[in-house]
Amino acid sequence: MVCGFPENFLWGAASAANQVEGGWDEGGKGISVSDCAKSHFHTDLSDYKKQNEVTLDDIRTAMASSDEHAYPKRHGSDFYHHYKEDIALMADMGLRVFRMSIAWSRIYPHGDDEQPNEAGLQYYDSVFDELRKHNIEPLVTISHYEPPIDLLLKYRGWYSRKTIELFERYVRTIVDRYKNKVKYWITFNEIDSMERHPYTTGGFLKEQFDDLDFHTVIAQAMHHQFVASALAVKICHEMIPGAQVGCMLTKLTYYPYSCKPEDALQAQQEMRRIYAFSDTQVFGEYPAYLLNHWKKDSIEVSMTTEDLLLMKQNPVDFVSFSYYTSSCCAKDPQGLPHAPGNTITAVKNPYLASNDWGWQIDALGLRISLVDLYDRYHKPLFIVENGIGANDLLIDGKVHDPYRIDYYREHINAMRDAIVEDSVDLIGYTCWSFIDLVSESTKQMSKRYGLVYVDCDDYGNGTYNRYKKDSFYWYKKVIATNGEDLS
Ligand code: BG6
Protein backbone atom coordinates (compact mmCIF):
# COMPACT_ATOMS: atom_id res chain seq x y z
CA MET A 1 0.00 0.00 0.00
CA VAL A 2 1.49 3.35 -1.07
CA CYS A 3 1.28 5.97 1.70
CA GLY A 4 2.59 9.06 -0.03
CA PHE A 5 5.19 10.17 -2.52
CA PRO A 6 7.78 7.49 -3.37
CA GLU A 7 11.18 7.96 -1.68
CA ASN A 8 12.96 8.69 -4.96
CA PHE A 9 10.29 11.11 -6.22
CA LEU A 10 11.89 13.72 -8.48
CA TRP A 11 10.91 17.06 -6.93
CA GLY A 12 12.04 19.88 -9.13
CA ALA A 13 11.42 23.05 -11.06
CA ALA A 14 11.45 23.92 -14.74
CA SER A 15 12.53 26.46 -17.32
CA ALA A 16 13.17 26.78 -21.05
CA ALA A 17 16.21 28.36 -22.69
CA ASN A 18 14.20 30.70 -24.92
CA GLN A 19 12.45 32.24 -21.92
CA VAL A 20 15.14 32.29 -19.28
CA GLU A 21 18.58 32.31 -20.81
CA GLY A 22 19.05 35.64 -22.56
CA GLY A 23 22.56 36.01 -24.03
CA TRP A 24 20.82 35.74 -27.40
CA ASP A 25 23.80 37.08 -29.36
CA GLU A 26 26.64 35.86 -27.15
CA GLY A 27 28.96 32.87 -27.30
CA GLY A 28 28.39 32.37 -31.02
CA LYS A 29 24.66 31.77 -30.65
CA GLY A 30 22.49 32.14 -33.75
CA ILE A 31 19.03 33.69 -33.86
CA SER A 32 16.06 31.48 -33.01
CA VAL A 33 12.36 31.87 -33.81
CA SER A 34 11.81 33.04 -30.23
CA ASP A 35 14.43 35.78 -30.57
CA CYS A 36 12.25 37.23 -33.34
CA ALA A 37 9.02 37.08 -31.35
CA LYS A 38 8.17 40.66 -30.52
CA SER A 39 6.14 41.85 -27.57
CA HIS A 40 2.51 42.74 -28.17
CA PHE A 41 1.85 44.37 -24.81
CA HIS A 42 -0.61 46.77 -26.42
CA THR A 43 -2.86 44.02 -27.82
CA ASP A 44 -5.46 41.93 -26.07
CA LEU A 45 -3.44 39.72 -23.73
CA SER A 46 -6.13 37.06 -23.65
CA ASP A 47 -5.98 36.58 -27.42
CA TYR A 48 -3.27 34.01 -27.89
CA LYS A 49 -3.49 34.09 -31.69
CA LYS A 50 -2.88 37.84 -31.83
CA GLN A 51 0.04 37.50 -29.44
CA ASN A 52 1.65 35.08 -31.83
CA GLU A 53 1.14 36.90 -35.08
CA VAL A 54 4.46 37.01 -36.92
CA THR A 55 5.10 37.76 -40.59
CA LEU A 56 8.14 37.35 -42.79
CA ASP A 57 8.50 41.13 -42.74
CA ASP A 58 8.49 41.06 -38.93
CA ILE A 59 11.26 38.48 -39.01
CA ARG A 60 13.39 40.55 -41.38
CA THR A 61 12.90 43.60 -39.16
CA ALA A 62 13.79 41.56 -36.09
CA MET A 63 16.93 40.16 -37.65
CA ALA A 64 18.16 43.62 -38.56
CA SER A 65 17.59 44.88 -35.03
CA SER A 66 19.62 44.42 -31.87
CA ASP A 67 16.80 45.70 -29.68
CA GLU A 68 16.10 43.60 -26.60
CA HIS A 69 13.17 45.63 -25.29
CA ALA A 70 10.91 44.85 -28.20
CA TYR A 71 12.01 41.20 -28.24
CA PRO A 72 11.85 40.17 -24.56
CA LYS A 73 13.03 36.61 -25.07
CA ARG A 74 16.40 38.03 -26.06
CA HIS A 75 17.07 39.06 -22.47
CA GLY A 76 14.96 36.47 -20.61
CA SER A 77 16.08 36.40 -16.98
CA ASP A 78 19.74 36.40 -17.96
CA PHE A 79 20.28 32.85 -16.70
CA TYR A 80 23.14 32.81 -19.23
CA HIS A 81 25.22 34.98 -16.89
CA HIS A 82 23.54 34.09 -13.59
CA TYR A 83 23.48 30.29 -13.84
CA LYS A 84 25.91 29.70 -10.96
CA GLU A 85 23.93 31.93 -8.63
CA ASP A 86 20.65 30.36 -9.79
CA ILE A 87 21.89 26.81 -9.35
CA ALA A 88 23.13 27.70 -5.86
CA LEU A 89 19.57 28.84 -5.11
CA MET A 90 18.24 25.53 -6.46
CA ALA A 91 20.63 23.70 -4.15
CA ASP A 92 19.49 25.82 -1.23
CA MET A 93 15.93 24.81 -2.03
CA GLY A 94 16.89 21.15 -2.19
CA LEU A 95 15.81 20.56 -5.81
CA ARG A 96 16.38 17.01 -6.98
CA VAL A 97 15.83 17.78 -10.65
CA PHE A 98 15.99 20.85 -12.86
CA ARG A 99 14.16 20.89 -16.17
CA MET A 100 15.89 23.04 -18.77
CA SER A 101 16.25 23.07 -22.52
CA ILE A 102 19.19 23.40 -24.86
CA ALA A 103 18.93 26.22 -27.39
CA TRP A 104 19.47 24.55 -30.74
CA SER A 105 20.82 27.83 -32.14
CA ARG A 106 23.53 27.91 -29.45
CA ILE A 107 24.84 24.58 -30.76
CA TYR A 108 24.13 24.98 -34.48
CA PRO A 109 23.69 28.75 -34.95
CA HIS A 110 22.06 28.42 -38.38
CA GLY A 111 20.67 24.94 -37.96
CA ASP A 112 22.54 23.61 -40.98
CA ASP A 113 26.14 24.37 -40.00
CA GLU A 114 28.62 21.57 -40.67
CA GLN A 115 30.29 21.93 -37.26
CA PRO A 116 28.78 22.70 -33.86
CA ASN A 117 29.60 25.86 -31.98
CA GLU A 118 32.14 24.83 -29.33
CA ALA A 119 31.39 27.83 -27.11
CA GLY A 120 27.73 26.78 -26.95
CA LEU A 121 28.66 23.22 -26.06
CA GLN A 122 30.99 24.46 -23.34
CA TYR A 123 28.28 26.65 -21.89
CA TYR A 124 25.97 23.66 -21.28
CA ASP A 125 28.94 21.63 -19.99
CA SER A 126 29.36 24.27 -17.32
CA VAL A 127 25.64 24.30 -16.49
CA PHE A 128 25.48 20.50 -16.17
CA ASP A 129 28.70 20.42 -14.10
CA GLU A 130 27.30 23.02 -11.77
CA LEU A 131 24.07 21.01 -11.40
CA ARG A 132 26.02 17.80 -10.75
CA LYS A 133 28.17 19.59 -8.16
CA HIS A 134 24.95 20.16 -6.22
CA ASN A 135 23.49 16.69 -6.91
CA ILE A 136 20.72 18.11 -9.06
CA GLU A 137 19.61 15.84 -11.90
CA PRO A 138 19.15 17.66 -15.22
CA LEU A 139 16.03 16.90 -17.26
CA VAL A 140 16.73 18.24 -20.74
CA THR A 141 14.23 19.23 -23.41
CA ILE A 142 15.90 18.96 -26.79
CA SER A 143 13.55 21.40 -28.52
CA HIS A 144 11.43 23.93 -26.64
CA TYR A 145 10.30 26.60 -29.15
CA GLU A 146 13.89 27.20 -30.26
CA PRO A 147 14.39 26.27 -33.94
CA PRO A 148 17.10 28.44 -35.52
CA ILE A 149 15.40 31.13 -37.62
CA ASP A 150 17.45 30.16 -40.68
CA LEU A 151 15.61 26.84 -40.78
CA LEU A 152 12.40 28.79 -41.30
CA LEU A 153 13.88 31.07 -43.93
CA LYS A 154 15.80 28.42 -45.89
CA TYR A 155 13.77 25.25 -45.48
CA ARG A 156 10.33 26.25 -44.14
CA GLY A 157 11.15 24.56 -40.84
CA TRP A 158 9.65 21.21 -39.98
CA TYR A 159 7.66 21.09 -43.19
CA SER A 160 10.89 20.08 -44.85
CA ARG A 161 12.26 16.57 -44.54
CA LYS A 162 15.72 18.09 -44.51
CA THR A 163 15.01 19.37 -40.99
CA ILE A 164 14.92 15.77 -39.70
CA GLU A 165 18.49 15.30 -40.91
CA LEU A 166 19.63 18.59 -39.34
CA PHE A 167 17.88 17.76 -36.09
CA GLU A 168 19.54 14.35 -36.02
CA ARG A 169 22.93 16.04 -36.37
CA TYR A 170 22.08 18.33 -33.45
CA VAL A 171 20.83 15.44 -31.30
CA ARG A 172 23.87 13.26 -32.00
CA THR A 173 26.14 16.16 -31.05
CA ILE A 174 24.47 16.94 -27.73
CA VAL A 175 23.86 13.33 -26.72
CA ASP A 176 27.47 12.40 -27.46
CA ARG A 177 28.75 15.43 -25.58
CA TYR A 178 26.50 15.10 -22.53
CA LYS A 179 26.07 11.33 -22.34
CA ASN A 180 27.81 11.18 -18.97
CA LYS A 181 25.93 14.15 -17.58
CA VAL A 182 22.30 13.80 -18.64
CA LYS A 183 20.11 10.73 -18.22
CA TYR A 184 16.57 12.21 -18.53
CA TRP A 185 15.52 13.70 -21.87
CA ILE A 186 12.34 15.09 -23.46
CA THR A 187 12.27 15.28 -27.24
CA PHE A 188 9.83 18.12 -28.13
CA ASN A 189 8.07 20.46 -25.75
CA GLU A 190 4.28 20.33 -26.22
CA ILE A 191 4.54 18.61 -29.59
CA ASP A 192 0.76 19.04 -30.00
CA SER A 193 1.19 22.83 -30.17
CA MET A 194 2.19 22.47 -33.84
CA GLU A 195 -1.50 22.96 -34.61
CA ARG A 196 -1.98 26.00 -32.39
CA HIS A 197 1.26 27.93 -32.94
CA PRO A 198 3.16 26.51 -35.88
CA TYR A 199 5.68 29.37 -35.89
CA THR A 200 7.36 28.51 -32.59
CA THR A 201 6.83 24.76 -32.72
CA GLY A 202 7.15 24.06 -36.41
CA GLY A 203 9.40 26.93 -37.47
CA PHE A 204 7.24 28.06 -40.41
CA LEU A 205 4.58 30.61 -41.32
CA LYS A 206 1.31 30.24 -43.14
CA GLU A 207 2.34 32.88 -45.68
CA GLN A 208 5.16 30.58 -46.85
CA PHE A 209 2.59 28.15 -48.25
CA ASP A 210 0.30 30.12 -50.51
CA ASP A 211 0.13 27.18 -52.86
CA LEU A 212 -0.67 24.49 -50.29
CA ASP A 213 -3.48 23.54 -47.96
CA PHE A 214 -2.22 24.61 -44.53
CA HIS A 215 -3.76 21.63 -42.71
CA THR A 216 -1.69 19.36 -44.91
CA VAL A 217 1.41 21.43 -44.19
CA ILE A 218 0.86 21.04 -40.46
CA ALA A 219 0.24 17.30 -40.71
CA GLN A 220 3.40 16.87 -42.79
CA ALA A 221 5.45 18.84 -40.27
CA MET A 222 3.92 16.75 -37.47
CA HIS A 223 5.01 13.60 -39.22
CA HIS A 224 8.55 14.91 -39.57
CA GLN A 225 8.65 15.71 -35.84
CA PHE A 226 7.37 12.25 -34.94
CA VAL A 227 10.14 10.67 -37.01
CA ALA A 228 12.70 13.05 -35.48
CA SER A 229 11.42 12.28 -31.99
CA ALA A 230 11.74 8.52 -32.59
CA LEU A 231 15.28 9.10 -33.87
CA ALA A 232 16.12 11.05 -30.71
CA VAL A 233 14.79 8.19 -28.55
CA LYS A 234 16.91 5.74 -30.53
CA ILE A 235 20.06 7.85 -30.28
CA CYS A 236 19.67 8.37 -26.52
CA HIS A 237 19.05 4.66 -25.91
CA GLU A 238 22.02 3.65 -28.03
CA MET A 239 24.47 6.13 -26.56
CA ILE A 240 23.42 6.39 -22.90
CA PRO A 241 22.96 3.26 -20.80
CA GLY A 242 19.78 3.66 -18.75
CA ALA A 243 18.63 6.80 -20.58
CA GLN A 244 14.99 7.74 -20.00
CA VAL A 245 13.31 9.63 -22.82
CA GLY A 246 9.84 11.12 -22.73
CA CYS A 247 7.31 12.76 -24.97
CA MET A 248 5.67 15.98 -23.78
CA LEU A 249 2.09 17.17 -24.12
CA THR A 250 0.09 20.26 -23.34
CA LYS A 251 -2.43 18.54 -21.12
CA LEU A 252 -5.54 20.42 -22.11
CA THR A 253 -8.25 18.89 -19.96
CA TYR A 254 -11.82 19.34 -21.19
CA TYR A 255 -15.08 18.75 -19.36
CA PRO A 256 -18.46 18.58 -21.05
CA TYR A 257 -20.18 21.90 -20.33
CA SER A 258 -23.40 20.06 -19.51
CA CYS A 259 -24.43 16.42 -19.16
CA LYS A 260 -25.86 16.48 -22.67
CA PRO A 261 -24.29 13.53 -24.52
CA GLU A 262 -23.50 15.96 -27.37
CA ASP A 263 -21.32 18.03 -25.02
CA ALA A 264 -19.64 14.89 -23.66
CA LEU A 265 -18.83 13.77 -27.19
CA GLN A 266 -17.43 17.19 -28.03
CA ALA A 267 -15.15 17.08 -24.98
CA GLN A 268 -13.97 13.58 -25.89
CA GLN A 269 -13.19 14.67 -29.44
CA GLU A 270 -11.18 17.66 -28.20
CA MET A 271 -9.16 15.46 -25.85
CA ARG A 272 -8.37 13.12 -28.72
CA ARG A 273 -6.81 15.98 -30.66
CA ILE A 274 -4.16 16.05 -27.92
CA TYR A 275 -3.98 12.31 -27.28
CA ALA A 276 -3.26 11.75 -30.97
CA PHE A 277 0.25 13.01 -30.24
CA SER A 278 0.98 10.89 -27.17
CA ASP A 279 -0.76 7.84 -28.68
CA THR A 280 1.64 8.06 -31.61
CA GLN A 281 4.73 8.42 -29.44
CA VAL A 282 3.75 5.83 -26.84
CA PHE A 283 2.36 3.13 -29.14
CA GLY A 284 4.77 3.92 -31.96
CA GLU A 285 2.09 4.16 -34.61
CA TYR A 286 -0.60 6.53 -35.78
CA PRO A 287 -3.96 5.93 -34.12
CA ALA A 288 -6.69 4.89 -36.55
CA TYR A 289 -8.78 7.95 -35.66
CA LEU A 290 -5.99 10.31 -36.75
CA LEU A 291 -5.45 8.50 -40.04
CA ASN A 292 -9.19 8.54 -40.58
CA HIS A 293 -9.36 12.26 -39.89
CA TRP A 294 -6.58 12.91 -42.42
CA LYS A 295 -8.37 10.77 -44.98
CA LYS A 296 -11.71 12.50 -44.42
CA ASP A 297 -10.12 15.93 -44.83
CA SER A 298 -8.10 14.83 -47.90
CA ILE A 299 -4.85 15.40 -46.04
CA GLU A 300 -2.10 13.40 -47.68
CA VAL A 301 1.02 12.99 -45.60
CA SER A 302 4.06 11.69 -47.31
CA MET A 303 5.80 9.00 -45.25
CA THR A 304 8.02 6.01 -45.88
CA THR A 305 7.85 2.48 -44.50
CA GLU A 306 11.22 3.18 -42.84
CA ASP A 307 9.65 6.13 -41.01
CA LEU A 308 6.87 3.94 -39.69
CA LEU A 309 9.27 1.20 -38.64
CA LEU A 310 11.50 3.70 -36.82
CA MET A 311 8.48 5.09 -34.95
CA LYS A 312 7.28 1.59 -34.06
CA GLN A 313 10.68 0.52 -32.77
CA ASN A 314 11.32 3.60 -30.66
CA PRO A 315 8.44 4.45 -28.36
CA VAL A 316 9.06 6.77 -25.40
CA ASP A 317 9.87 5.58 -21.88
CA PHE A 318 7.65 8.03 -20.03
CA VAL A 319 4.90 10.54 -20.72
CA SER A 320 5.47 14.08 -19.52
CA PHE A 321 3.10 16.99 -19.71
CA SER A 322 2.28 20.53 -18.67
CA TYR A 323 -0.87 21.21 -16.72
CA TYR A 324 -2.13 24.67 -15.80
CA THR A 325 -5.87 24.76 -16.23
CA SER A 326 -8.95 23.00 -17.55
CA SER A 327 -11.79 24.11 -19.84
CA CYS A 328 -15.26 23.13 -20.95
CA CYS A 329 -16.64 21.99 -24.28
CA ALA A 330 -20.11 22.37 -25.69
CA LYS A 331 -21.60 21.20 -28.94
CA ASP A 332 -23.02 24.68 -29.36
CA PRO A 333 -20.67 27.11 -27.59
CA GLN A 334 -22.27 30.24 -29.08
CA GLY A 335 -23.42 32.67 -26.42
CA LEU A 336 -21.59 30.90 -23.59
CA PRO A 337 -18.92 32.80 -21.64
CA HIS A 338 -15.40 31.90 -22.72
CA ALA A 339 -12.09 31.98 -20.85
CA PRO A 340 -8.50 31.98 -22.05
CA GLY A 341 -6.32 28.98 -21.27
CA ASN A 342 -2.92 27.70 -22.32
CA THR A 343 -2.87 28.61 -26.03
CA ILE A 344 -6.63 28.25 -26.33
CA THR A 345 -9.85 30.06 -25.61
CA ALA A 346 -12.65 27.75 -24.51
CA VAL A 347 -15.98 27.66 -22.73
CA LYS A 348 -15.64 28.96 -19.19
CA ASN A 349 -16.28 26.68 -16.24
CA PRO A 350 -18.69 28.47 -13.85
CA TYR A 351 -17.36 26.51 -10.85
CA LEU A 352 -13.72 27.61 -10.99
CA ALA A 353 -11.74 30.69 -9.97
CA SER A 354 -9.19 32.25 -12.34
CA ASN A 355 -5.72 33.77 -12.17
CA ASP A 356 -4.93 37.37 -13.19
CA TRP A 357 -4.87 36.33 -16.88
CA GLY A 358 -8.20 34.53 -16.76
CA TRP A 359 -6.77 30.98 -16.71
CA GLN A 360 -9.05 28.87 -14.54
CA ILE A 361 -7.60 27.06 -11.54
CA ASP A 362 -8.50 23.39 -11.20
CA ALA A 363 -6.37 21.09 -9.04
CA LEU A 364 -8.83 18.19 -9.31
CA GLY A 365 -8.39 18.41 -13.07
CA LEU A 366 -4.77 17.44 -12.52
CA ARG A 367 -5.79 14.26 -10.70
CA ILE A 368 -8.29 13.50 -13.46
CA SER A 369 -5.58 14.07 -16.08
CA LEU A 370 -3.12 11.79 -14.28
CA VAL A 371 -5.66 8.99 -14.05
CA ASP A 372 -6.69 9.36 -17.69
CA LEU A 373 -3.11 9.33 -18.94
CA TYR A 374 -2.05 6.43 -16.75
CA ASP A 375 -5.06 4.29 -17.62
CA ARG A 376 -4.41 4.97 -21.29
CA TYR A 377 -0.67 4.34 -21.40
CA HIS A 378 0.43 2.38 -18.30
CA LYS A 379 3.71 4.27 -18.54
CA PRO A 380 5.44 6.37 -15.87
CA LEU A 381 4.16 9.95 -15.86
CA PHE A 382 6.15 13.12 -15.20
CA ILE A 383 4.51 16.51 -14.61
CA VAL A 384 7.09 18.86 -16.09
CA GLU A 385 5.14 22.14 -15.90
CA ASN A 386 2.52 23.35 -13.44
CA GLY A 387 2.21 26.77 -11.87
CA ILE A 388 0.42 30.09 -11.72
CA GLY A 389 1.26 33.31 -13.52
CA ALA A 390 0.69 36.29 -11.24
CA ASN A 391 1.42 39.98 -10.75
CA ASP A 392 3.89 39.60 -7.87
CA LEU A 393 5.06 42.62 -5.91
CA LEU A 394 8.59 43.06 -4.60
CA ILE A 395 8.51 45.13 -1.42
CA ASP A 396 11.61 45.59 0.74
CA GLY A 397 13.25 42.60 -0.89
CA LYS A 398 10.30 40.29 -0.14
CA VAL A 399 7.52 38.80 -2.23
CA HIS A 400 4.45 37.50 -0.44
CA ASP A 401 2.71 35.10 -2.81
CA PRO A 402 0.15 33.10 -0.79
CA TYR A 403 -1.90 32.53 -3.98
CA ARG A 404 1.04 30.58 -5.46
CA ILE A 405 1.45 28.51 -2.30
CA ASP A 406 -2.29 27.74 -2.35
CA TYR A 407 -2.11 26.78 -6.01
CA TYR A 408 0.81 24.42 -5.43
CA ARG A 409 -0.65 22.97 -2.24
CA GLU A 410 -3.87 22.01 -4.00
CA HIS A 411 -2.10 20.56 -7.03
CA ILE A 412 0.41 18.59 -4.95
CA ASN A 413 -2.47 17.20 -2.88
CA ALA A 414 -4.14 16.13 -6.11
CA MET A 415 -0.92 14.41 -7.19
CA ARG A 416 -0.71 12.58 -3.89
CA ASP A 417 -4.31 11.38 -4.27
CA ALA A 418 -3.54 10.17 -7.78
CA ILE A 419 -0.57 8.18 -6.45
CA VAL A 420 -2.14 6.88 -3.24
CA GLU A 421 -5.81 6.45 -4.15
CA ASP A 422 -5.61 5.86 -7.88
CA SER A 423 -2.29 3.95 -8.12
CA VAL A 424 -0.83 6.23 -10.75
CA ASP A 425 2.91 5.82 -11.37
CA LEU A 426 4.05 9.44 -11.14
CA ILE A 427 7.84 9.76 -11.06
CA GLY A 428 8.37 13.50 -10.75
CA TYR A 429 7.14 17.04 -10.67
CA THR A 430 8.91 20.15 -11.95
CA CYS A 431 6.88 23.23 -11.17
CA TRP A 432 6.85 26.13 -13.60
CA SER A 433 9.06 27.88 -12.93
CA PHE A 434 12.17 28.11 -10.83
CA ILE A 435 12.84 31.79 -11.49
CA ASP A 436 10.62 34.38 -13.14
CA LEU A 437 10.97 34.25 -16.90
CA VAL A 438 9.43 35.74 -20.03
CA SER A 439 5.96 34.36 -20.66
CA GLU A 440 5.66 32.28 -23.79
CA SER A 441 2.31 33.67 -24.88
CA THR A 442 2.27 37.29 -23.73
CA LYS A 443 6.08 37.82 -23.69
CA GLN A 444 5.66 39.59 -20.35
CA MET A 445 8.05 39.36 -17.41
CA SER A 446 5.17 40.63 -15.29
CA LYS A 447 3.28 37.38 -15.80
CA ARG A 448 5.46 35.91 -13.10
CA TYR A 449 5.69 32.17 -12.44
CA GLY A 450 8.89 31.81 -10.42
CA LEU A 451 9.65 30.72 -6.90
CA VAL A 452 12.44 33.28 -7.21
CA TYR A 453 11.70 36.86 -8.23
CA VAL A 454 13.86 38.46 -10.91
CA ASP A 455 14.05 42.25 -10.81
CA CYS A 456 13.33 42.95 -14.45
CA ASP A 457 10.27 44.56 -16.05
CA ASP A 458 8.44 43.84 -19.29
CA TYR A 459 10.94 45.96 -21.21
CA GLY A 460 14.00 44.27 -19.76
CA ASN A 461 14.82 47.13 -17.37
CA GLY A 462 16.03 46.26 -13.87
CA THR A 463 18.95 44.95 -11.88
CA TYR A 464 18.19 41.28 -12.60
CA ASN A 465 18.83 40.64 -8.91
CA ARG A 466 17.17 37.53 -7.51
CA TYR A 467 14.86 37.45 -4.45
CA LYS A 468 13.36 34.38 -2.80
CA LYS A 469 9.56 34.54 -2.71
CA ASP A 470 7.56 33.09 0.20
CA SER A 471 6.75 30.17 -2.09
CA PHE A 472 10.48 29.40 -2.28
CA TYR A 473 10.62 28.61 1.46
CA TRP A 474 7.34 26.73 1.30
CA TYR A 475 8.43 24.47 -1.57
CA LYS A 476 11.79 23.88 0.14
CA LYS A 477 9.88 22.42 3.10
CA VAL A 478 7.71 20.32 0.79
CA ILE A 479 10.81 18.78 -0.78
CA ALA A 480 12.54 18.26 2.56
CA THR A 481 9.52 16.33 3.88
CA ASN A 482 8.99 14.47 0.58
CA GLY A 483 5.58 16.07 0.17
CA GLU A 484 4.37 15.31 3.70
CA ASP A 485 4.24 18.87 5.05
CA LEU A 486 2.11 21.09 2.82
CA SER A 487 1.08 23.46 5.61
C1 BG6 B 1 3.68 25.99 -21.60
C2 BG6 B 1 5.00 26.23 -22.26
O1 BG6 B 1 2.74 25.88 -22.57
O2 BG6 B 1 3.12 27.00 -20.83
C3 BG6 B 1 5.87 27.26 -21.55
O3 BG6 B 1 5.72 25.03 -22.42
C4 BG6 B 1 5.01 28.41 -21.11
O4 BG6 B 1 6.89 27.61 -22.43
C5 BG6 B 1 3.96 27.91 -20.14
O5 BG6 B 1 5.74 29.45 -20.53
C6 BG6 B 1 3.06 28.98 -19.55
O6 BG6 B 1 2.49 29.73 -20.56
P1 BG6 B 1 2.64 31.30 -20.66
O7 BG6 B 1 2.12 31.64 -21.99
O8 BG6 B 1 1.84 31.88 -19.56
O9 BG6 B 1 4.09 31.59 -20.50
Side-chain angles (χ1 to χ4, degrees):
M1 155 94 182
V2 187
C3 310
F5 289 93
E7 263 319 297
N8 53 355
F9 191 76
L10 291 166
W11 292 104
S15 70
N18 77 88
Q19 291 165 265
V20 79
E21 235 174 47
W24 71 289
D25 60 352
E26 293 182 61
K29 182 181 173 300
I31 301 177
S32 76
V33 292
S34 287
D35 296 327
C36 298
K38 66 178 176 209
S39 59
H40 282 279
F41 302 146
H42 51 285
T43 57
D44 178 1
L45 291 181
S46 65
D47 186 338
Y48 184 78
K49 288 217 167 94
K50 265 210 192 99
Q51 287 295 318
N52 270 271
E53 268 168 19
V54 180
T55 64
L56 275 174
D57 276 348
D58 290 336
I59 291 172
R60 288 187 199 104
T61 308
M63 291 181 76
S65 159
S66 55
D67 189 355
E68 294 191 358
H69 301 285
Y71 302 97
K73 289 185 164 186
R74 293 181 176 187
H75 56 74
S77 317
D78 200 25
F79 180 80
Y80 187 70
H81 295 107
H82 287 76
Y83 71 90
K84 286 196 177 168
E85 177 189 349
D86 291 339
I87 293 171
L89 282 167
M90 292 175 204
D92 175 5
M93 186 187 269
L95 283 200
R96 298 179 185 171
V97 61
F98 175 52
R99 179 182 176 219
M100 52 178 279
S101 66
I102 292 180
W104 188 348
S105 60
R106 210 175 269 296
I107 308 300
Y108 284 97
H110 305 282
D112 62 355
D113 317 67
E114 287 301 323
Q115 297 301 326
N117 169 34
E118 181 55 29
L121 288 166
Q122 277 177 19
Y123 167 68
Y124 292 110
D125 265 326
S126 314
V127 172
F128 295 140
D129 291 346
E130 200 65 22
L131 287 168
R132 286 266 166 241
K133 195 168 101 190
H134 293 288
N135 288 321
I136 300 170
E137 188 75 45
L139 163 65
V140 174
T141 315
I142 298 174
S143 182
H144 190 139
Y145 306 152
E146 286 132 352
I149 196 71
D150 287 322
L151 294 184
L152 178 145
L153 297 170
K154 259 173 106 170
Y155 304 100
R156 299 193 286 185
W158 281 98
Y159 176 70
S160 164
R161 221 186 143 89
K162 174 81 180 170
T163 302
I164 303 179
E165 181 193 318
L166 300 173
F167 181 78
E168 181 180 357
R169 185 185 299 172
Y170 160 58
V171 175
R172 284 195 184 280
T173 302
I174 57 172
V175 173
D176 185 44
R177 180 79 170 218
Y178 307 125
K179 57 181 181 282
N180 298 320
K181 300 182 180 183
V182 181
K183 176 180 162 198
Y184 291 96
W185 299 83
I186 289 171
T187 58
F188 289 93
N189 184 66
E190 297 182 339
I191 190 163
D192 51 282
S193 60
M194 175 75 79
E195 289 189 325
R196 300 186 303 280
H197 46 96
Y199 171 64
T200 34
T201 304
F204 55 83
L205 296 171
K206 191 161 188 284
E207 67 177 290
Q208 293 180 294
F209 298 94
D210 280 348
D211 48 333
L212 290 172
D213 165 54
F214 200 54
H215 295 295
T216 305
V217 169
I218 288 189
Q220 188 63 61
M222 267 166 68
H223 174 69
H224 291 154
Q225 281 204 344
F226 284 135
V227 174
S229 177
L231 260 172
V233 173
K234 182 171 187 286
I235 293 168
C236 287
H237 284 162
E238 282 173 359
M239 294 173 81
I240 310 175
Q244 292 292 304
V245 194
C247 59
M248 201 292 197
L249 288 184
T250 323
K251 185 64 187 69
L252 299 177
T253 296
Y254 291 103
Y255 303 130
Y257 182 68
S258 75
C259 53
K260 273 193 232 151
E262 288 82 358
D263 287 356
L265 180 65
Q266 193 65 36
Q268 189 182 53
Q269 298 288 330
E270 283 300 326
M271 302 271 270
R272 265 185 155 193
R273 287 169 73 101
I274 305 298
Y275 289 145
F277 290 83
S278 37
D279 284 358
T280 304
Q281 292 178 290
V282 171
F283 302 127
E285 59 189 23
Y286 287 116
Y289 62 87
L290 179 63
L291 295 174
N292 191 31
H293 157 71
W294 283 347
K295 198 165 159 200
K296 211 164 64 83
D297 289 359
S298 308
I299 292 174
E300 279 184 33
V301 179
S302 122
M303 55 182 88
T304 66
T305 42
E306 287 78 25
D307 291 349
L308 298 178
L309 190 64
L310 185 82
M311 286 161 61
K312 188 71 201 167
Q313 289 174 339
N314 296 282
V316 290
D317 303 308
F318 64 89
V319 175
S320 74
F321 63 94
S322 62
Y323 177 87
Y324 292 91
T325 180
S326 66
S327 315
C328 293
C329 266
K331 172 77 180 133
D332 183 8
Q334 289 243 336
L336 294 174
H338 279 60
N342 192 2
T343 66
I344 54 161
T345 300
V347 177
K348 189 170 178 174
N349 190 327
Y351 300 103
L352 299 175
S354 305
N355 76 354
D356 298 339
W357 277 258
W359 292 22
Q360 297 201 273
I361 301 171
D362 179 18
L364 263 189
L366 177 58
R367 178 171 172 187
I368 293 168
S369 302
L370 284 164
V371 172
D372 279 355
L373 286 170
Y374 193 61
D375 285 357
R376 196 172 182 104
Y377 299 126
H378 295 207
K379 287 257 185 194
L381 303 180
F382 204 146
I383 301 166
V384 293
E385 284 185 36
N386 172 241
I388 181 168
N391 280 306
D392 296 333
L393 287 179
L394 177 71
I395 300 168
D396 296 334
K398 300 206 178 328
V399 178
H400 302 303
D401 54 348
Y403 37 87
R404 183 166 292 109
I405 294 173
D406 287 347
Y407 181 97
Y408 281 134
R409 180 185 298 112
E410 287 165 19
H411 285 76
I412 293 173
N413 260 324
M415 282 154 47
R416 190 217 308 269
D417 288 345
I419 295 172
V420 176
E421 307 288 335
D422 308 321
S423 306
V424 167
D425 181 10
L426 178 64
I427 56 173
Y429 175 75
T430 59
C431 61
W432 188 267
S433 53
F434 183 68
I435 54 175
D436 290 340
L437 35 68
V438 174
S439 152
E440 159 55 23
S441 54
T442 67
K443 322 284 181 288
Q444 293 171 291
M445 256 327 266
S446 54
K447 188 178 186 187
R448 294 180 182 274
Y449 280 97
L451 301 162
V452 174
Y453 186 95
V454 178
D455 175 29
C456 161
D457 69 12
D458 285 343
Y459 300 93
N461 303 310
T463 60
Y464 288 77
N465 287 342
R466 275 66 171 145
Y467 299 89
K468 297 174 190 172
K469 301 182 191 177
D470 287 356
S471 55
F472 178 102
Y473 300 101
W474 180 83
Y475 192 50
K476 179 175 175 163
K477 185 183 60 183
V478 172
I479 299 174
T481 61
N482 200 32
E484 282 305 306
D485 186 354
L486 302 180
S487 60

